[in-house]
Every structure is written in C-alpha cells, then in structure tokens.
Amino acid sequence: MTEAPAPPGTRTRWHNWAGNERTTAEVVHPGSTDEVAAVLTAAAAAGRRVRPIGSGHSFTGIGRPEDIQLGCAGLAGLGEVGNDGLVTVGAGIPLHRLNAELVRRGWSLTNLGDIDRQTIAGALSTGTHGTGARFGGLATQVRGLQLVTPDGAVLDCDATRHPEVFAAARIGLGALGVLTTVTLQAVPAFALRAVEGPGTLTAALEGFDDLMTSTDHVEFYWFPHTDVTLLKCNTRVPLEEGLAPLPRWRAVWDDEILANGAFAGVVAAGRRVPALIPPLARMSAKALGARTWTDHSHRVFVSRRRVRFLEMEYAIPRADAPAVLAELRRVHETNDWRAAFPVEVRVAAADDVPLSTASDRDSAYIAAHVPAGTDPGSWFAALESIAGEVGGRPHWGKLHGLDAEILRARYPRFGEFVALRDRLDPGGVLTNAYLDRVLGPAGRRG
C-alpha cells in the first residue's frame, strides 16, 4: 500500500531502501511541470537546496535532501505508444508499472536491469543498466526528455532541441534540472528463453568473452569461498514461438523460498556467527539447480530482492574483467573475509552518454554486496582498488569513495558535464553533499 503524500511544507523522516541514508527534510509532491518550476524558483529565491527523489533505491546519498525533497510520485502519467514505438511517460512512473503497461499494449523496453522498483527518472539519473554485450543501459533507450531548471525554465530536449542538454541529462544525476517526462523507444513485445545453471569461476575467466557473448543477455554470480557460479543466459525469442513460464510452485520455491527466504536465513546466521559464512556459502552454491523457461522479457530480466543489502558496483573495460575478477578472488582467499552475498558480473555495450559508466567503451560490471546494516570494510575497498587500476567507474547510485578529482580522469567528458551543470544551476539549488563530492561544488554559496 502506498503512503499518502505529506502536506506541503511538512518535515518528514526519510530513508533509502537499504536504510544507510537517513534524514529529515521538508517534502513537496508537485503534480505538474508548472508546480515543479514553482518549487524550484521559490527555493532558489530563498537560497535553499532541492533534491528530486524517486523510490530511494540508491545506496549513495545522491537523493538525500538537505532542505527540500521533491517527490515525483505525482508525475507518473503514461502516454500512448506510437506506431514507431515512441512513448512519453511521467518521470515518476515506477519501472514495474511501466513494464506491465507496455506489454499489455504489445510493447517492451529492449533491455532492463534486474530490479524494477525504481522510478524511470531515478533509474535514468543514476545510470541503471542490465546485461548484454550488444545492448546499452536504460539511458540509450531515451529519445527525448523534459527538464525543469532552477530558474523555472522548461526545456524540451532531444537530438535536435537543446541537444547538448539532452546528451548529458540522459544520465544527469538530478544535477541539471528535474526530469518531468521522458520519451522512450519501445520495441515490439518479445520473450526471453532463460537457461540457468551452475558453472565455475575458473571456466568463466578462461573463456570470458566467449561466455558473455554466447547469447543475448548473459550474467553470472560468483559465490566467494567457492569456485561455483550461477550462470544466467537469456535469448530473445518472438512471442509467436509461445511462452513456457515456470510452474508456479517452481517459481515460488526457487525465487521466494530459496532465493529470498532461505538466503535471508543464511545472511542472518552469518551475521550472528561469521565463521558459518564459508560453509553456508558452499551449501548455498550446492543448492543451485538448472532450470529453463520462456516468459515475457520483463519477467525474466527482473528478480525479486527481499533481503536488504549494501552494494558497490564498478564498470571496467570488458577486456580487463578476467584479470580483475581473478585478482578479486586472490585477495578474498588471502584475507580472512566473510562474504555471504555472491558477486554479480554483467556486461554492456559502449554508449555516447557523457556520465554513463559505459561511455565510449564496452564494459563489464562487477558488483559486491554485504547485508544492510553492516560495514563493507575491506571487501568493498578491495574491489574499489582493483577496479581503479583499470580505470573503473562506480555506479552513481552504489557505494564508492571517489571524488571529482579522480572521476574527472576517468570520464573524458566530465568537464563538459560539469560546465553544463554550472550553466543550468549556477546557484547550486540542486546539489547536496554527495554531488558536491563527485562533481565539485556548484555555484557560490555562503
């Protein structure tokens, strides 16, 4: 059940999904572009800061408000899908609702991440991606957007109108303005044939490129303390070939009882007695079973995540992935660390978005996790250090320790983005401590 929005001006306690970011702020819920503009201009006049927020699924402080939090739940409309597959949606529409509505109309998004609780604006602003060597992240599916800047201007942007703003705002960190609508390129609805089963990290590293390009969408999960991986290979197939979804009992058993219920027990036991984590990891790895099914694409792309965690994810050049993973395994085995969560490995095609983690290079993604409420400590530090040796770029919504000085060296178009931010928001209305760290301070604030 969705909570009713707080009355305007109410100070409300807020926390993100993982619970590691908490604060109290004034909350506003505009229901139109004009109302968004009014909020921003009033804040600018009063010298206050505003942060737009979606579902709060980021692990970083990117959405953390300092003065005013601008919720986008009132901006959740969905237009008709044109014959060309273009559809304009409100920035606050959640991905799970968007996916369901699109497939009902005979359309789908061409690629998705594995979580669908985010709003489209939040997912885009943080650089959400899925996997697939020939496919880009969510931002590559954007064909237009409407952005409200702190001076109240409403910019309708695409490849021909305000093209420099369009190019950057596809992954804008909420730093350029407030997204109110997004135009996406949908494709005719399709199915995915999913083939899952156990593998080994050794084999994955020996044939990494062949493995990750063996079908349309490939990812694997490595279980630290073991050589075992869970391999997921998804092939795009026409709906006309028919669906063969998992039987309900199998879906409940695998995805609810084992993947969430039993795993929650493993995590809880490991937190109480850390020495249990290695044998429990080996037990979890042995419980993996092979399965094959075919369903609507969004039902295969997305996984349910009910066990709360903290996450760090780095994008690295795809060619460097085997060496990075081998070093991560070596460091893990050398140290007395306890990692209850598997390490997730995905790939994506290069794109042309300035602050995309895949900007100008084919990328591999390596993600580490720890239970929510625990200290990631040396485990995350090791991933950050090893990925940094090959120019790793952190996911904007996941934990990392980098600042603007380091990030400038890792993004060829970083200066272009910051200059645009300073032009659109010279007073720093849309910034906060996280953005000050990763982009540098905005404007001239006393």
Side-chain angles (χ1 to χ4, degrees), residues 191-364:
L192 287 174
R193 180 179 297 117
V195 179
E196 297 182 3
T200 67
L201 183 60
T202 298
L205 299 189
E206 289 174 351
F208 185 83
D209 209 53
D210 288 341
L211 171 64
M212 303 307 285
T213 59
S214 61
T215 190
D216 296 311
H217 306 275
V218 181
E219 64 183 313
F220 66 85
Y221 294 81
W222 165 52
F223 291 78
H225 310 286
T226 79
D227 190 40
V228 176
T229 61
L230 170 62
L231 181 62
K232 296 186 175 186
C233 300
N234 298 328
T235 303
R236 302 162 78 94
V237 294
L239 286 176
E240 292 75 19
E241 292 188 11
L243 303 179
L246 285 172
R248 179 162 177 76
W249 70 265
R250 180 69 187 271
V252 171
W253 175 258
D254 287 354
D255 300 329
E256 295 296 336
I257 297 175
L258 291 181
N260 284 291
F263 185 61
V266 168
V267 170
R271 292 184 70 170
R272 289 193 297 269
V273 186
L276 290 176
I277 290 178
L280 287 173
R282 290 188 286 269
M283 181 184 71
S284 297
K286 289 180 180 178
L288 300 176
R291 63 180 190 173
T292 301
W293 81 100
T294 303
D295 209 337
H296 288 288
S297 58
H298 69 282
R299 294 176 182 166
V300 178
F301 280 133
V302 173
S303 302
R304 292 285 176 260
R305 302 290 183 87
R306 307 197 193 284
V307 181
R308 307 230 170 188
F309 54 84
L310 300 174
E311 182 174 0
M312 169 181 281
E313 181 176 58
Y314 265 85
I316 59 174
R318 197 172 87 191
D320 291 317
V324 168
L325 284 164
E327 178 63 8
L328 189 65
R329 175 170 61 179
R330 186 195 69 77
V331 170
H332 183 270
E333 291 174 347
T334 301
N335 292 275
D336 187 27
W337 294 339
R338 303 288 185 257
F341 282 78
V343 172
E344 184 179 19
V345 180
R346 296 179 285 177
V347 294
D351 62 46
D352 64 350
V353 184
L355 287 194
S356 168
T357 48
S359 184
D360 295 325
R361 70 186 190 193
D362 291 335
S363 298

Side-chain angles (χ1 to χ4, degrees), residues 1-372:
M1 181 176 179
T2 303
E3 294 182 5
T10 300
R11 292 190 64 81
T12 302
R13 293 179 180 177
W14 172 84
H15 64 83
N16 63 349
W17 179 81
N20 62 309
E21 290 287 343
R22 296 175 179 271
T23 191
T24 300
E26 181 180 331
V27 179
V28 294
H29 295 274
S32 68
T33 298
D34 287 345
E35 291 179 13
V36 171
V39 170
L40 292 179
T41 54
R48 305 182 73 194
R49 289 181 167 185
V50 178
R51 284 307 293 152
I53 192 70
S55 66
H57 212 285
S58 291
F59 302 93
T60 64
I62 190 168
R64 181 187 177 98
E66 295 181 357
D67 294 327
I68 301 170
Q69 184 173 75
L70 189 153
C72 59
L75 306 168
L78 175 65
E80 294 299 319
V81 185
N83 293 333
D84 55 3
L86 293 177
V87 57
T88 298
V89 304
I93 191 169
L95 284 172
H96 63 88
R97 181 187 152 205
L98 174 59
N99 292 332
E101 289 289 339
L102 285 178
V103 78
R104 186 175 65 82
R105 303 176 190 197
W107 299 88
S108 297
L109 295 179
T110 195
N111 198 11
L112 291 166
D114 57 4
I115 296 175
D116 63 1
R117 300 293 104 178
Q118 311 99 313
T119 62
I120 187 68
L124 287 171
S125 296
T126 55
T128 294
H129 63 92
T131 191
R134 296 185 294 111
F135 299 88
L138 190 60
T140 65
Q141 300 169 62
V142 177
R143 298 294 178 267
L145 55 87
Q146 186 178 80
L147 192 75
V148 183
T149 58
D151 63 359
V154 178
L155 305 181
D156 291 302
C157 307
D158 54 31
T160 59
R161 298 176 297 172
H162 307 290
E164 77 290 354
V165 178
F166 172 71
R170 289 173 290 171
I171 299 179
L173 314 189
L176 304 178
V178 175
L179 286 173
T180 51
T181 66
V182 177
T183 299
L184 299 163
Q185 178 65 68
V187 297
F190 63 98
L192 287 174
R193 180 179 297 117
V195 179
E196 297 182 3
T200 67
L201 183 60
T202 298
L205 299 189
E206 289 174 351
F208 185 83
D209 209 53
D210 288 341
L211 171 64
M212 303 307 285
T213 59
S214 61
T215 190
D216 296 311
H217 306 275
V218 181
E219 64 183 313
F220 66 85
Y221 294 81
W222 165 52
F223 291 78
H225 310 286
T226 79
D227 190 40
V228 176
T229 61
L230 170 62
L231 181 62
K232 296 186 175 186
C233 300
N234 298 328
T235 303
R236 302 162 78 94
V237 294
L239 286 176
E240 292 75 19
E241 292 188 11
L243 303 179
L246 285 172
R248 179 162 177 76
W249 70 265
R250 180 69 187 271
V252 171
W253 175 258
D254 287 354
D255 300 329
E256 295 296 336
I257 297 175
L258 291 181
N260 284 291
F263 185 61
V266 168
V267 170
R271 292 184 70 170
R272 289 193 297 269
V273 186
L276 290 176
I277 290 178
L280 287 173
R282 290 188 286 269
M283 181 184 71
S284 297
K286 289 180 180 178
L288 300 176
R291 63 180 190 173
T292 301
W293 81 100
T294 303
D295 209 337
H296 288 288
S297 58
H298 69 282
R299 294 176 182 166
V300 178
F301 280 133
V302 173
S303 302
R304 292 285 176 260
R305 302 290 183 87
R306 307 197 193 284
V307 181
R308 307 230 170 188
F309 54 84
L310 300 174
E311 182 174 0
M312 169 181 281
E313 181 176 58
Y314 265 85
I316 59 174
R318 197 172 87 191
D320 291 317
V324 168
L325 284 164
E327 178 63 8
L328 189 65
R329 175 170 61 179
R330 186 195 69 77
V331 170
H332 183 270
E333 291 174 347
T334 301
N335 292 275
D336 187 27
W337 294 339
R338 303 288 185 257
F341 282 78
V343 172
E344 184 179 19
V345 180
R346 296 179 285 177
V347 294
D351 62 46
D352 64 350
V353 184
L355 287 194
S356 168
T357 48
S359 184
D360 295 325
R361 70 186 190 193
D362 291 335
S363 298
Y365 292 86
I366 301 174
H369 314 73
V370 298

